[in-house]
Amino acid sequence: MADLLVADNICKNFGNFTALDDISITIPTQSIFGLLGPNGAGKTTFLRIINQITMPDTGKVYFEGEPLHPSHVGHIGYLPEERGLYKSMKVGEQALYLARLKGLSKAQAKERLEFWFTRLGITHWWDKKIQELSKGMAQKVQFVITVLHNPKLLIFDEPFSGFDPVNAGIIKKEILYLREQGATILFSTHRMESVEELCEYMALIHNSKKLLDGKVADIKREYKSNTFEVGLSAPNEESLLKELKSRFIVTPATYKSITEDLKLRLQIKEDESPNDLLHYLIGRAQVNHFVEVIPSVNDIFIKTVTQDA
Ligand code: ADP
Ligand code: MG
């Protein structure tokens, strides 16, 4: 499938401060792409460039292969980091008004708002003023407004900040639903676990630079360390442990189990396979647990940022 959005060599300076240093990313159509990085990394600046709020100093953005143009705005839904709704306006009134601004007819706007308000169980908020809503509630309303015109590309800047875990979960579910309906989703976050849960693709930005990007599964494969978590029982665990230590890099492991295992992480050599390890262990112990250690996005983040420094 073709790429929906391509950003080539984007640079942006504010005075003599470099906010984006040669950032390139490619977002495949109908993917969920996570832009990950600590506060101040440059994520919001990048998203503002894609939304044509800020111009890059150099570099180009392409939307469905065409140079980004004001006419593309209608195909993009953007939830900015600074959530702005008119505080004294009523929820329904405001939602209808903003929907009309996005080019929906009155009937369409009503129909889609009804769909989304029902879906999220917030129909009773319709006549409340925004100022009567909590931050998270207002954010839910703004989420609905962002997705209302069925844009091809949805851009959410820190969509989970301001939400409690339950509501963050609801928004995650809706992001998956929107992707299923054909949307492509780009979101920024400083929280590793949301990339882990949702994204097929990610880019890591740190200090204005892109440190890595690609398919999350490929990145994990690249960063794996041939380490296996095992749970063993044997008549003489002490001598087994001694033997294992002479053969592998051994560190303790913790995981939940119902057996009294010797819980270890064993790192094998590049030229050894999981089967080799399993054969070796089966000859010496009862193997109750055997699983490859997959690096988390957090592990990868720490490793990459430390290498960079
Ligand atoms: P993130 O969203 O990853 O937290 P931002 O893109 O908001 O990061 O900011 C990146 C850096 O650029 C920060 O150091 C910020 O202070 C700076 N910056 C962002 N916008 C401006 C601006 N309009 N003028 C000056 N500096 C800015
Ligand atoms: Mg930001």
Side-chain angles (χ1 to χ4, degrees), residues 43-44 81 157-158:
K43 304 179 298 295
T44 295
E81 194 172 23
D157 198 352
E158 303 280 355

Side-chain angles (χ1 to χ4, degrees), residues 49-297:
I49 286 171
I50 295 174
N51 283 289
Q52 305 181 70
I53 296 164
T54 312
M55 287 292 289
D57 295 336
T58 55
K60 282 243 153 54
V61 183
Y62 300 90
F63 187 91
E64 293 189 316
E66 295 171 11
L68 193 64
H69 181 267
S71 65
H72 293 129
V73 167
H75 295 304
I76 300 177
Y78 175 44
L79 178 71
E81 194 172 23
E82 300 299 327
R83 328 276 194 228
L85 291 171
Y86 304 104
K87 293 226 179 310
S88 56
M89 230 169 140
K90 284 186 177 169
V91 170
E93 202 184 342
Q94 180 155 188
L96 272 173
Y97 169 74
L98 292 170
R100 296 299 305 276
L101 280 188
K102 288 167 183 252
L104 296 185
S105 72
K106 201 166 180 181
Q108 258 179 340
K110 273 195 165 152
E111 189 194 308
R112 294 212 192 142
L113 281 168
E114 203 172 291
F115 170 81
W116 276 102
F117 273 57
T118 308
R119 195 175 160 86
L120 293 180
I122 59 172
T123 47
H124 55 291
W125 295 359
W126 191 263
D127 285 319
K128 281 187 198 289
K129 286 184 177 170
I130 295 291
Q131 64 199 11
E132 295 173 62
L133 304 183
S134 73
K135 191 177 165 204
M137 289 161 88
Q139 197 172 321
K140 239 178 183 172
V141 173
Q142 205 162 350
F143 178 86
V144 168
I145 293 167
T146 306
V147 307
L148 209 59
H149 58 304
N150 292 341
K152 291 181 184 176
L153 176 62
L154 284 164
I155 298 175
F156 302 122
D157 198 352
E158 303 280 355
F160 311 113
S161 74
F163 278 132
D164 58 65
V166 172
N167 280 300
I170 290 173
I171 295 301
K172 280 175 191 167
K173 213 181 92 210
E174 295 308 327
I175 288 177
L176 292 170
Y177 168 77
L178 288 158
R179 200 271 303 267
E180 221 177 85
Q181 299 297 305
T184 303
I185 290 128
L186 168 64
F187 74 89
S188 78
T189 183
H190 59 277
R191 301 213 328 232
M192 323 281 167
E193 67 280 6
S194 37
V195 172
E196 201 94 58
E197 287 168 70
L198 288 174
C199 297
E200 195 185 352
Y201 294 86
M202 64 174 266
L204 172 60
I205 299 187
H206 185 57
N207 287 340
S208 324
K209 289 192 179 66
K210 184 183 80 178
L211 296 189
L212 59 88
D213 79 336
K215 261 196 157 145
V216 176
D218 291 344
I219 293 172
K220 289 197 169 200
R221 216 170 296 126
E222 198 179 312
Y223 277 79
K224 77 185 176 78
S225 58
N226 296 318
T227 302
F228 293 80
E229 188 178 76
V230 302
L232 309 170
S233 61
N236 190 340
E237 287 187 351
E238 220 165 291
S239 68
L240 174 65
L241 186 59
K242 207 170 150 199
E243 190 189 334
L244 291 172
K245 279 183 176 166
S246 69
R247 175 84 169 62
F248 307 101
I249 298 174
V250 182
T251 46
T254 50
Y255 60 88
K256 289 198 181 79
S257 71
I258 51 165
T259 44
E260 292 272 332
D261 297 339
L262 183 59
K263 296 174 182 176
L264 303 169
R265 284 183 166 205
L266 304 177
Q267 188 174 7
I268 59 175
K269 297 194 182 77
E270 282 289 335
D271 59 353
E272 289 175 315
S273 74
N275 262 9
D276 295 337
L277 176 60
L278 198 52
H279 275 296
Y280 181 88
L281 295 175
I282 284 173
R284 288 161 177 80
Q286 164 83 31
V287 181
N288 295 321
H289 177 90
F290 186 88
V291 65
E292 180 161 14
V293 177
I294 312 287
S296 67
V297 172

